[in-house]
Amino acid sequence: MHELSLVEGMMDIVRESASQNNIHRITRVKLVIGELTMALPDSLRFAFGVLSQDELFRGAELEIEQLGVICRCEECGNKFKPGDDYVFLCPGCGNGRVVVIQGHELYLDSYEGDEANGPG
Amino acid sequence: MVQVNLQTNILGANELIARKNRVSFKDQGILAINLMSSPGSGKTTILERTIERLGSEMKIAVIEGDLYTDRDAQRIEQKGVQVIQINTEGTCHLDAGMVTSAYEKIDKSDVVLLFIENVGNLVCPAEFDLGEDFRVVVISTTEGNDKIPKYPLIFREARAVLVNKVDLLPYTEFNLQECQEDLKKINPSARVFPLSGRTGEGIEIWCEWLLGEVRAKGRNL
């Protein structure tokens, strides 16, 4: 997966928002990653470590919330987790018409920082 | 200390462009197919056979994606259809922006079917929406029996899976039934088309299905 470019994209979003909110130093960034995106948390952290060397991001912590895959069966409404082997068949009725309702997430949830004119 | 809540999709930029592509294709009445596989599965050969079979019944255009060379585009051009080659020069997948640029160069009049042949790669292309109507993944009998469990995401998202090189079945350990069972667990609604780009076996059934998909998009042929 493209962790480096994902992190760059994330940092661009934070950078722009920080500039609009008068924040001059980022202390924490929170990402939410669904399992189906195949983005690896260790690789994301590594990329963030490499890229967060400027004034704005230096020392910032990267928090990653991982969301597992949850499916819903269109036939019986059962919600289930496919498991490590990614079997997308409903364990209740055996039907294959399932919808992934969690697992595709790849978003920047929030960040924390210090304002330019704030204390400290 | 301030907290700012964003909940912004990180891949948002590509998705916005993909959405625009999707609208462009729909406005033009073009069925766009994202064709994916590992390198060497036979995508280009299958495209050649498909164009030979369907080219007289409908206007087809192709966008070719490779790191380097225009070898695939040259092959497609020999079949008498419009083809635009994208060279990513290192990027391991096509993205929506690349497709927008290539699409702009196509003479779209009367085109009903657009194939976007992605870079040979079973991992990264799955992450990038190009604006296509659906995805078709090609595997071949010479790649072993583990592709589907090993690359679940790309197969989960496929409308159809083409199993190429069935003419080589006697020389491999490939198990077609096992392949279909693996696919059923991950993506029960995907169609499977065993075929051979080299001999032409199975191409007719695949092309009949394509014709159905073009008609389903509202284009009379």
Side-chain angles (χ1 to χ4, degrees):
Chain A
M1 251 305 284
H2 303 84
E3 282 81 357
L4 204 65
S5 59
L6 283 179
V7 170
E8 276 180 331
M10 173 200 86
M11 289 172 72
D12 283 345
I13 296 168
V14 172
R15 203 171 272 120
E16 192 177 322
S17 172
S19 148
Q20 289 165 5
N21 287 282
N22 199 32
I23 291 167
H24 77 136
R25 201 166 72 87
I26 306 295
T27 52
R28 199 153 170 265
V29 179
K30 182 176 173 186
L31 286 187
V32 177
I33 310 281
E35 196 184 320
L36 281 178
T37 62
M38 308 290 185
L40 300 173
D42 281 349
S43 301
L44 289 166
R45 283 190 196 98
F46 177 79
F48 186 67
V50 165
L51 294 172
S52 60
Q53 296 304 313
D54 61 355
E55 281 290 328
L56 181 65
F57 284 99
R58 191 172 299 133
E61 183 199 328
L62 179 63
E63 182 191 338
I64 299 172
E65 181 183 343
Q66 285 184 272
L67 298 179
V69 186
I70 300 178
C71 297
R72 187 188 66 235
C73 174
E74 302 248 83
E75 204 60 36
C76 70
N78 182 33
K79 285 187 191 164
F80 65 95
K81 296 180 183 180
D84 288 345
D85 53 356
Y86 293 106
V87 175
F88 287 83
L89 298 173
C90 175
C93 68
N95 198 281
R97 276 177 55 239
V98 307
V99 169
V100 173
I101 58 174
Q102 181 178 286
H104 276 304
E105 298 78 4
L106 187 63
Y107 65 87
L108 168 58
D109 181 77
S110 59
Y111 67 94
E112 291 171 6
D114 298 327
E115 286 170 300
N117 301 320
Chain B
M1 202 274 288
V2 171
Q3 176 168 313
V4 178
N5 292 317
L6 290 174
Q7 272 121 31
T8 305
N9 190 323
I10 299 175
L11 280 177
N14 185 78
E15 278 178 28
L16 277 173
I17 300 170
R19 251 178 253 172
K20 286 184 189 160
N21 286 345
R22 194 161 273 119
V23 168
S24 299
F25 299 147
K26 189 175 178 200
D27 284 349
Q28 203 68 36
I30 291 176
L31 183 76
I33 298 176
N34 186 350
L35 191 63
M36 304 189 273
S37 79
S38 52
S41 290
K43 295 188 293 302
T44 311
T45 306
I46 289 171
L47 275 183
E48 288 175 311
R49 296 290 91 76
T50 306
I51 292 165
E52 282 163 10
R53 167 63 184 83
L54 294 177
S56 56
E57 295 188 49
M58 61 170 88
K59 203 161 171 200
I60 299 171
V62 177
I63 294 175
E64 279 289 343
D66 284 294
L67 267 69
Y68 296 101
T69 83
D70 64 349
R71 292 184 182 200
D72 287 353
Q74 284 180 32
R75 288 170 60 181
I76 299 297
E77 207 166 32
Q78 293 297 312
K79 298 298 165 187
V81 305
Q82 276 192 91
V83 54
I84 306 291
Q85 177 81 56
I86 300 172
N87 283 140
T88 69
E89 295 181 358
T91 304
C92 45
H93 57 270
L94 291 181
D95 64 33
M98 294 173 189
V99 169
T100 312
S101 304
Y103 186 63
E104 275 164 14
K105 299 176 188 163
I106 292 176
D107 172 6
K108 302 158 192 51
S109 43
D110 301 324
V111 173
V112 302
L113 180 55
L114 172 68
F115 282 106
I116 306 167
E117 188 183 334
N118 216 314
V119 176
N121 180 343
L122 284 176
V123 183
C124 315
E127 294 297 325
F128 293 86
D129 187 359
L130 305 179
E132 71 273 9
D133 284 84
F134 57 80
R135 298 168 168 194
V136 172
V137 181
V138 181
I139 54 174
S140 67
T141 61
T142 53
E143 291 171 66
N145 286 306
D146 300 324
K147 285 293 162 296
I148 291 170
K150 284 185 178 177
Y151 300 92
L153 183 61
I154 201 168
F155 289 102
R156 170 86 194 144
E157 310 221 324
R159 178 80 64 89
V161 174
L162 311 190
V163 181
N164 193 23
K165 307 187 188 178
V166 291
D167 51 312
L168 296 181
L169 274 170
Y171 308 102
T172 75
E173 301 294 325
F174 188 82
N175 186 321
L176 185 57
Q177 190 178 336
E178 200 180 298
C179 168
Q180 287 172 309
E181 284 165 5
D182 283 339
L183 187 62
K184 262 214 152 31
K185 290 179 198 167
I186 287 175
N187 186 348
S189 58
R191 287 290 307 263
V192 177
F193 295 97
L195 43 76
S196 167
R198 196 174 69 90
T199 66
E201 181 184 343
I203 293 289
E204 181 64 30
I205 298 175
W206 150 245
C207 288
E208 285 294 324
W209 181 79
L210 275 175
L211 273 169
E213 292 296 319
V214 171
R215 289 188 185 111
K217 190 148 186 191
R219 293 304 291 259
N220 292 320
L221 297 161

